[in-house]
Amino acid sequence: MLKLYDFLLSGNCYKVRLLLSLLGVEHELVAVDLKAGEHKKTPFLQLNPFGQVPALTDGDVVIRDSQAILVYLARRYGGADWFPEDAAALGNIAQWLSTASKEIGNTIATARLHYLFGTPIDVAAVEKQSYAVLKVIDEHLATRQWLECDRLTIADIACFPYIGLAADGKLSLDAYPHIVAWIDRIKQLPGYVGMPGL
Ligand SMILES: N[C@@H](CCC(=O)N[C@@H](CS)C(=O)NCC(=O)O)C(=O)O
């Protein structure tokens, strides 16, 4: 059985739970006790030597990193629409996987880490950077329903959680109506599941 090594409050774990649910893939959730430092010890380090959740096992396949897991699940269990073969479409989707990891991870997700888990940050700087990222994404979504390919892909699933959880980082989405509409569209999807804060 496919196993997701998971932490309930992690947006990176949640994006994998969301795709699994949208695809209807049977799986087992294995809770990793981050408070107890379980992710920094063996046996978890054998799954991800970087000591971070999520990690996924599917038979002999072991994948770490939420974006990489989305790629695997899309190709293994989703139709071609989730992560197409076409070179331009692949590149267009991959740019958002990268954006989820860096531009969103270092800003909007970091603000949330600060307010929920007490991680020290330069609040004013992170806030400014977060709104700059949200502005770019809102402008991108002004002329389209989904981030790429005129349909839901793993680009949307990768970027959605921390943007949807912006309020946890005391960030307002009021100035970004296209993002708000995109969040609503995702929440209407058959098979959608939420998490605390969403
Ligand atoms: N790029 C990785 C980042 C994973 C990540 O930051 N995981 C966090 C939870 S959201 C974690 O395990 N933090 C604990 C730590 O780094 O010690 C991904 O997308 O999966």
Side-chain angles (χ1 to χ4, degrees), residues 8-11 107-118 161-173 195-198:
L8 177 68
L9 294 179
S10 157
T107 60
I108 308 161
T110 298
R112 179 173 177 268
L113 263 187
H114 172 69
Y115 287 107
L116 285 197
F117 301 105
Y162 289 110
I163 294 178
L165 291 166
D168 280 352
K170 301 205 188 301
L171 298 165
S172 167
L173 295 179
M195 67 166 279
L198 263 174

Side-chain angles (χ1 to χ4, degrees), residues 10-12 15 34 39-40 51-54 65-67 101 162:
S10 157
N12 285 321
K15 64 182 77 166
L34 297 197
H39 56 311
K40 301 296 183 197
Q52 292 182 319
V53 288
D65 187 280
S66 57
Q67 275 61 242
S101 185
Y162 289 110

Side-chain angles (χ1 to χ4, degrees), residues 150-169:
D150 294 322
R151 62 174 176 268
L152 176 72
T153 69
I154 56 172
D156 303 283
I157 306 299
C159 293
F160 165 68
Y162 289 110
I163 294 178
L165 291 166
D168 280 352

